[in-house]
């Protein structure tokens, strides 16, 4: 079963959380920071922590893919740490995305 929720953390930013639970156990998860890009007139993903590929990592749109991260081994704790990290550093991630876009870095 896939559970999703959205958390508004500001007028132009939100977190999208996805948890895949199988037989009562968390199998995979993703925590994604999204920002309303006024130039594009749509929500864009800025930074994401997830377990795609079997191991927790961070992706940053236009900046880096599969950055290694130091998260707890327990998937539930890791997802919570990622959620808090994205909310706490939202402005930093958004500004880095905007700078990369201004330099013409391609989106993924």
């Amino acid at each position: 079963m896939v559970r999703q929720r959205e958390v508004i953390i500001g007028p132009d930013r939100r977190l999208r959380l996805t948890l895949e639970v199988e037989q009562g156990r968390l199998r995979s998860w993703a925590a994604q920071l999204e920002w309303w890009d006024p130039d594009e007139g749509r929500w864009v993903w800025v930074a994401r922590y997830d377990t795609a590929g079997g191991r927790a990592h961070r992706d940053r749109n236009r900046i880096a893919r599969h950055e290694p991260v130091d998260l707890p081994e327990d998937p539930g704790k890791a997802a919570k740490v990622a959620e808090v990290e994205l909310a706490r550093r939202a402005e930093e991630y958004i500004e880095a995305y905007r700078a990369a876009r201004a330099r013409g870095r391609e989106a993924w």
Side-chain angles (χ1 to χ4, degrees):
M1 171 194 315
V2 175
R3 298 179 184 164
Q4 293 185 326
R5 71 181 165 102
E6 187 178 288
V7 179
I8 304 300
I9 59 172
D12 63 349
R13 56 200 68 182
R14 67 187 182 192
L15 295 176
R16 184 174 306 279
L17 307 161
T18 305
L19 306 174
E20 183 180 348
V21 179
E22 185 178 292
Q23 297 179 357
R25 296 187 64 202
L26 181 59
R27 292 293 188 199
S28 65
W29 59 269
Q32 178 168 292
L33 171 64
E34 298 175 345
W35 171 66
W36 179 261
D37 185 332
D39 295 332
E40 294 189 27
R42 66 182 180 96
W43 290 97
V44 296
W45 76 272
V46 173
R48 169 178 54 234
Y49 286 80
D50 65 46
T51 56
R55 198 170 157 100
H57 63 275
R58 179 178 54 216
D59 299 309
R60 292 190 294 158
N61 195 351
R62 299 179 185 255
I63 297 171
R65 292 186 191 178
H66 293 293
E67 293 178 305
V69 291
D70 185 25
L71 293 174
E73 288 295 319
D74 177 87
K77 289 179 182 176
K80 187 61 180 172
V81 167
E83 179 183 354
V84 169
E85 164 75 3
L86 287 172
R88 187 176 62 80
R89 295 180 60 195
E91 190 64 31
E92 175 187 340
Y93 287 135
I94 291 167
E95 288 306 313
Y97 168 82
R98 292 175 68 186
R101 187 188 64 192
R103 288 191 308 269
R105 299 268 323 253
E106 290 295 317
W108 300 320

